[in-house]
Amino acid sequence: LILSERVELLQEAEKKVRAGKGNGSGAGGVLGVRFKTVTAEVSQQDRHALFASGGVFAVTSRILVTDLLSGKVPPEMVTGMVVMHAHKLADRDNEAFILQVFRKKNKAGFIKGISDRPEFLVRGFSGVERVMKHLQVQRLHLYPRFHLSVLSSLQTSQPTAAERVLQLPPLVTDCQKALLGMLDKGLVEVRKEKG
């Protein structure tokens, strides 16, 4: 994904997949890609050095808009942007502005939007069109979970599930018992009236 000294940015990458928080030198993995995390804790000079070294970065929109406008990240040097949670893009102004600045100065760079909540794209009036407009893309690719490439990717990194059983406090248990008792008595009364 790295072309010469060009930079790729993962905009608004999920906090869950970030690793090495704090100094920006850690690497995390999403979509099979190793990337460097750039947070507010990384100084401007360090960010500039990181971006100049090239690579794939996970950057918050607040940092990215500042660095794009100040010239620390020249849009011409960015290979592309991947917007996580693209279904929220229409509701947030920073990301749409970043993509406008990027597209205005870099016609060749790619823009990709990823969403794990397709139901949000069909809510309201023309949800898909609005998101595509903000992403400035003309083509839409839908990959359901049973698509072979998605299925193989999901099978390589199986999630772990842990069940936690919590003990209710005594007062809550008493309330629960009282509510269940009232429901039982109410059902008995309803059955008497119907029967």
Side-chain angles (χ1 to χ4, degrees):
L1 289 172
I2 300 171
L3 303 175
S4 68
E5 293 181 5
R6 298 177 68 131
V7 177
E8 290 187 39
L9 299 167
L10 289 171
Q11 184 183 352
E12 283 295 320
E14 274 186 87
K15 291 179 182 176
K16 293 178 188 172
V17 296
R18 290 183 184 173
K21 274 188 180 180
N23 61 6
S25 61
V30 65
L31 307 173
V33 177
R34 303 299 292 172
F35 60 88
K36 300 170 191 164
T37 304
V38 179
T39 63
E41 297 166 355
V42 181
S43 70
Q44 286 185 347
Q45 293 80 13
D46 292 342
R47 283 200 316 259
H48 184 65
L50 275 171
F51 292 142
S53 69
V56 181
F57 299 90
V59 185
T60 63
S61 58
R62 184 176 289 178
I63 292 173
L64 188 55
V65 74
T66 303
D67 288 349
L68 274 174
L69 293 175
S70 68
K72 294 206 183 321
V73 178
E76 305 82 24
M77 295 301 294
V78 178
T79 304
M81 291 194 188
V82 177
V83 180
M84 307 297 278
H85 307 294
H87 58 274
K88 295 181 181 178
L89 186 61
D91 301 327
R92 300 185 299 190
D93 296 330
N94 262 358
E95 289 77 7
F97 178 70
I98 289 167
L99 295 173
Q100 284 177 348
V101 170
F102 172 68
R103 183 53 70 212
K104 184 177 180 182
K105 296 187 178 184
N106 186 341
K107 303 282 187 212
F110 70 83
I111 296 175
K112 306 235 185 246
I114 297 174
S115 174
D116 60 349
R117 305 293 298 271
E119 65 272 11
F120 285 109
L121 296 176
V122 294
R123 284 188 182 167
F125 182 69
S126 64
V128 173
E129 292 86 1
R130 189 176 44 221
V131 170
M132 290 176 68
K133 178 183 143 202
H134 285 291
L135 284 172
Q136 301 180 20
V137 296
Q138 279 76 40
R139 290 184 297 175
L140 173 68
H141 299 280
L142 299 174
Y143 293 100
R145 291 184 184 264
F146 58 82
H147 190 276
L148 290 177
S149 62
V150 175
L151 191 60
S152 66
S153 175
L154 289 173
Q155 287 175 345
T156 58
S157 58
Q158 288 289 325
T160 57
E163 183 178 346
R164 305 267 188 226
V165 179
L166 300 176
Q167 212 49 30
L168 291 176
L171 288 176
V172 176
T173 305
D174 293 342
C175 288
Q176 184 181 24
K177 286 178 184 176
L179 283 172
L180 287 173
M182 288 190 297
L183 283 172
D184 285 339
K185 288 185 183 198
L187 287 173
V188 167
E189 292 296 323
V190 169
R191 285 187 194 127
K192 281 182 186 176
E193 288 182 20
K194 284 198 150 204

